[in-house]
Amino acid sequence: MPANNQDSELPTEQRQASRTPTVSSDTHVSAQVTAGPDVDPVDVEKAKDASNLRGGEGLSAFPEDKKEEALENAEDDWAHDPINPRNWSTRKKWTMACIVSLYTFVTPLGSSMMAPALPDIAEHYHITSKTEVAATLSVFLATFAIGPLFLAPISEIYGRTWVLHINNLLFLAFMFGCAYAPTAADLIGFRILAGFAGSAPIACGGGSISDLFSEKERASAMAIYTLGPLLGPVIGPVAGGFIAQTIGFKYIFIVVAGLCAVAAVVGIPFLRETYHPVIRLRRAKKSGDPEALARLHPHLVQEHGNRMHRLWIDLTRPFILLTRSIICFLLSAYMALMYGIYYLMFAIFPDVFTGIYGFSVGVGGLAYIGLGVGFFLATLFGAWVSDGIYARLARKHGKGKPEFRIPSLIFGSFFVPIGVFWYGWSVQARIHWIMPIIGTGIFGFGMMTTFLPIQLYLVDTFTFAASALAAASVFRSMLGFAFPLFGSQMFDALGIGGGNSLLAGLAIALGIPFPVWLWFYGEKMRASSSLAR
């Protein structure tokens, strides 16, 4: 394996040390630094720990399996290989990240852009059931939740890039199907198919960012990954309201299809494969020597060579984590509750701002801006504060722990019920329209501020980090699908204020006691779990 040019200019001892594979302490692979006879090995290890990792060193931001990744990285000098995506130039890495972020933005945009037009859709298709009207919006999330369980392992077999490209084109086709659906059943059917194809960026996008950025850049990568799926559904209705009012609701789907076409024009020529095992296996297979491939990359061949093995592991691990880890279950449940409230707001906003406040369909779409502002502020604030708190606590205690993510989570969890109460009772009391929008902004800030530390805690805690994130994603998307289906009945029975008080109470019950308890007892629970590090 060729070395970097910088390595060739170092003295022999330093070059050997710099080329030592980075292996986590919980694996059985030994990684020793070559040191002179007068150098204390303990000092060498301290220097390694204190130094900033560069390039391809360290685990991914979203490691699929921490132990397996360390073993694979130890098979050759992958950490310093120029084809390692984390050793690409900064410009190239951020170009790839922007393209992936565009894909990740477009499909969630399609999930909610039709929300302001729900009354027009109901009138066009002669739908009288509120549940059926809500289903045209939220059914997208049912397959949006299931899709990553299949598309993620497929991307680990064939690479992330073409899974993104192909499903983007399928999503484009299904958006046209939604635009010209002759019946409500056809519309729902195309929404189901669009949800599955549209889940590809969720299945692969975070992994692509992980491939490009190492552990030291984790919080920034997580913020980028989380912002698209949350901000897209907010921007969509703002545009969707005016599109529906001026040229008709079917053009909402045509506009989304057009954005997919733009993403394809940019992505297909310029996006490069980022998934490390696929890149390495492709290069090794070009040699035409299967015995050398098995000898040089035993763990790569074992873990990524058997397609059904990858598919089975990725399908079952998220459910194992949800059912066998109380930490994963409760943190995922809290995320799911917030996501359910989020999509319930989408479904009920037309009734609130068009029906109660008298907004037109176009102006009603602007009501979603409060959520977007909250998300944007939380993204800027959350990554900065989360990193700062974690760094201060790590310095104070001598090392980092997943529990150091909890203070940020506790802080954000107070804003969620405040925002929901504020929004619900502002509408109930018919206060000026800006008040419920401010309430949704407070909720959006709390939601995003809690999403980031929850995902970081899951990544830091579990050996199978990608599966832990998949478990949380499936859980939250299913509640995002379910909540709008019963929301109208709940608000009819309890009122806007009472219904939102119930949701805020659930947010308090799930979001505040458990993180506090996790702060005190999380380390003990992790130590007793076979699924945690």
Side-chain angles (χ1 to χ4, degrees), residues 16-333:
Q16 289 173 336
S18 70
R19 292 168 56 88
T20 301
T22 303
V23 183
S24 60
S25 59
D26 54 358
T27 67
H28 298 292
V29 179
S30 62
Q32 298 176 350
V33 176
T34 303
D38 298 328
V39 178
D40 187 348
V42 175
D43 293 336
V44 173
E45 291 301 319
K46 288 182 179 179
K48 286 170 60 184
D49 292 339
S51 64
N52 290 323
L53 297 177
R54 67 171 181 84
E57 297 173 318
L59 287 176
S60 305
F62 305 85
E64 172 193 329
D65 178 342
K66 295 183 176 76
K67 294 182 179 180
E68 177 194 315
E69 182 173 316
L71 290 167
E72 291 175 356
N73 287 346
E75 290 173 1
D76 55 21
D77 193 16
W78 178 246
H80 300 94
D81 196 312
I83 70 166
N84 183 339
R86 281 187 269 146
N87 290 327
W88 291 349
S89 68
T90 301
R91 180 179 178 180
K92 184 176 181 179
K93 287 198 290 185
W94 280 104
T95 299
M96 302 300 110
C98 288
I99 294 172
V100 171
S101 297
L102 177 61
Y103 277 133
T104 309
F105 170 76
V106 170
T107 53
L109 190 76
S111 72
S112 64
M113 199 168 179
M114 63 181 283
L118 287 177
D120 293 345
I121 291 171
E123 181 181 354
H124 178 82
Y125 290 109
H126 308 292
I127 304 172
T128 56
S129 168
K130 290 184 178 181
T131 301
E132 187 176 351
V133 173
T136 62
L137 172 70
S138 67
V139 73
F140 181 98
L141 291 176
T143 46
F144 198 70
I146 297 170
L149 297 178
F150 295 90
L151 296 177
I154 290 173
S155 74
E156 291 167 4
I157 298 168
Y158 299 105
R160 307 194 200 277
T161 299
W162 282 105
V163 171
L164 288 170
H165 294 332
I166 291 171
N167 281 279
N168 177 63
L169 295 175
L170 289 174
F171 188 73
L172 183 156
F174 296 143
M175 283 292 103
F176 275 114
C178 291
Y180 296 101
T183 67
D186 293 323
L187 174 63
I188 292 174
F190 279 117
R191 290 282 288 172
I192 290 172
L193 294 172
F196 188 90
S199 68
I202 305 303
C204 306
S208 297
I209 299 296
S210 164
D211 298 336
L212 293 163
F213 299 98
S214 61
E215 191 175 23
K216 65 182 178 180
E217 301 161 310
R218 177 173 293 171
S220 298
M222 289 289 276
I224 292 171
Y225 171 70
T226 307
L227 185 60
L230 291 177
L231 200 55
V234 173
I235 294 175
V238 174
F242 287 106
I243 292 171
Q245 180 178 313
T246 54
I247 55 178
F249 73 86
K250 77 174 184 178
Y251 287 95
I252 292 173
F253 302 110
I254 293 174
V255 167
V256 175
L259 291 174
C260 290
V262 170
V265 169
V266 174
I268 292 176
F270 297 109
L271 187 63
R272 298 291 177 261
E273 182 57 56
T274 63
Y275 187 48
H276 299 189
V278 168
I279 294 173
R280 297 164 75 185
L281 285 173
R282 284 177 181 174
R283 180 175 63 179
K285 287 177 180 178
K286 287 182 180 178
S287 67
D289 188 348
E291 293 182 358
L293 171 63
R295 184 175 64 255
L296 292 173
H297 303 287
H299 291 92
L300 281 172
V301 173
Q302 178 182 351
E303 293 297 327
H304 301 273
N306 189 321
R307 298 174 181 178
M308 292 306 297
H309 172 70
R310 290 299 331 157
L311 183 62
W312 174 251
I313 285 176
D314 281 42
L315 281 173
T316 55
R317 272 182 184 165
F319 296 103
I320 291 172
L321 286 165
L322 280 176
T323 54
R324 289 180 52 192
S325 170
I326 189 66
I327 293 176
C328 184
F329 177 80
L330 288 178
L331 290 178
S332 299

Side-chain angles (χ1 to χ4, degrees), residues 412-435:
S413 66
F414 283 100
F415 288 90
V416 174
I418 291 172
V420 175
F421 275 125
W422 188 310
Y423 159 72
W425 285 104
S426 296
V427 174
Q428 184 77 25
R430 304 298 194 268
I431 301 175
H432 189 273
W433 54 264
I434 194 62
M435 296 302 287

